[in-house]
């Protein structure tokens, strides 16, 4: 149990376009999901916390208008990178909280902006 | 300084034990975690420990927590080639509503 999927696994887009990444908890309900970003050979940095039915909470320095988060159901959260630029190229990973202390991570999405 | 610190590399011989160390700064951490990341993949939760525990063992994995020194370690017994990965230490300060704070990760290299 506790499987989290992400789609797509890889995406290449042109500068100025928008990209949507989906995060799903497959076998449990997650009232809270998290979005992280990982640069090459770096650690994961928390971008935002997504709560079902309410607005996301963004970490300091993360532009909420650029990284739109929607948590439409207890099993789905989406991250939309709007007007993507090459500096947005990164590995985006979501996690879903199954309990107060367990977070399970998706396999990640590699975004390349050309 | 960083909230969670780890050394970047650890090299061990196959069959030996690996000990990966982590230090953290926030005494209000409630849970501490070890995650494993293989190349190009997401994070796999290996184990976690509650802050009021000293030790947790799960098959080949042993976690030791020294809360006084804010030091966490992960011991992998009988290290195998499949253990080669990056190991991240992480902490959470509250409950399920909080994201995790990660260390930079320790790259475990297995020598034949």
């Amino acid at each position: 149990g506790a499987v989290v999927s992400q789609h797509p696994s890889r995406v290449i887009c042109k500068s100025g376009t928008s990209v949507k990444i989906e995060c799903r908890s497959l076998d449990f309900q997650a009232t809270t999901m998290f979005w992280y970003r990982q640069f090459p050979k770096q650690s994961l940095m928390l971008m935002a916390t997504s709560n079902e039915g309410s607005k996301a909470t963004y970490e300091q320095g993360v532009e909420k208008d650029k990284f739109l988060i929607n948590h439409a159901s207890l099993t789905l959260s989406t991250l939309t990178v709007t007007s993507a630029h090459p500096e947005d190229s990164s590995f985006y990973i979501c996690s879903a909280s199954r309990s107060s202390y367990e977070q399970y991570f998706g396999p990640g999405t590699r975004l390349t902006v050309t | 300084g960083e909230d969670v610190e780890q050394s970047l590399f650890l090299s061990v011989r196959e069959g030996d034990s690996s000990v990966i160390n982590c230090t953290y700064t926030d005494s209000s951490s409630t849970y501490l975690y070890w995650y494993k990341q293989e190349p190009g993949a997401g994070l796999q939760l290996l184990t976690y420990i509650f802050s009021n525990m000293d030790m947790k063992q799960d098959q080949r994995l042993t976690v030791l927590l020294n809360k006084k020194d804010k030091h966490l370690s992960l011991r992998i017994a009988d290290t195998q080639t499949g253990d080669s990965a990056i190991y991240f230490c992480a902490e959470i300060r509250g409950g399920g509503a909080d994201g995790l704070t990660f260390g930079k990760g320790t790259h475990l290299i297995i020598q034949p």
Side-chain angles (χ1 to χ4, degrees), chain B:
Chain B
E2 297 290 332
D3 293 325
V4 181
E5 290 195 11
Q6 303 176 238
S7 53
L8 295 181
F9 294 95
L10 175 66
S11 179
V12 299
R13 295 175 69 167
E14 189 174 359
D16 287 351
S17 292
S18 305
V19 180
I20 303 171
N21 295 300
C22 169
T23 57
Y24 59 99
T25 56
D26 195 331
S27 57
S28 65
S29 297
T30 53
Y31 285 92
L32 295 125
Y33 303 81
W34 286 103
Y35 283 88
K36 177 183 180 183
Q37 186 179 35
E38 297 184 65
L43 274 72
Q44 175 192 351
L45 175 62
L46 286 179
T47 187
Y48 59 88
I49 188 168
F50 188 45
S51 59
N52 69 353
M53 297 170 63
D54 298 324
M55 186 182 87
K56 182 177 180 182
Q57 188 158 1
D58 183 3
Q59 298 182 335
R60 292 193 296 126
L61 305 179
T62 303
V63 178
L64 295 178
L65 175 60
N66 182 326
K67 199 172 179 183
K68 174 177 170 289
D69 294 338
K70 300 188 184 67
H71 182 266
L72 182 74
S73 69
L74 173 70
R75 178 177 180 269
I76 305 172
D78 187 25
T79 308
Q80 303 297 309
T81 54
D83 296 323
S84 178
I86 299 175
Y87 290 81
F88 289 95
C89 170
E91 62 169 355
I92 192 167
R93 292 161 196 181
D98 290 343
L100 299 179
T101 300
F102 284 86
K104 291 190 186 303
T106 299
H107 191 174
L108 179 61
I109 300 163
I110 315 300
Q111 299 173 9

Side-chain angles (χ1 to χ4, degrees), chain A residues 4-6 21-25 33 35 75-77 94-95:
Chain A
V4 177
S5 70
Q6 274 184 249
I21 303 169
E22 291 186 349
C23 176
R24 292 181 186 272
S25 56
M33 289 184 172
W35 287 95
T75 59
L76 173 64
S77 176
C94 72
S95 72

Side-chain angles (χ1 to χ4, degrees), chain A residues 44-55:
Chain A
L44 281 77
M45 298 299 295
L46 178 66
M47 297 175 65
T49 301
S50 167
N51 292 295
E52 187 265 339
S54 64
K55 289 184 178 180

Side-chain angles (χ1 to χ4, degrees), chain A residues 21-41:
Chain A
I21 303 169
E22 291 186 349
C23 176
R24 292 181 186 272
S25 56
L26 298 184
D27 51 2
F28 65 100
Q29 293 185 330
T31 53
T32 306
M33 289 184 172
F34 303 89
W35 287 95
Y36 296 82
R37 184 173 179 176
Q38 186 180 30
F39 290 104
K41 297 186 181 177

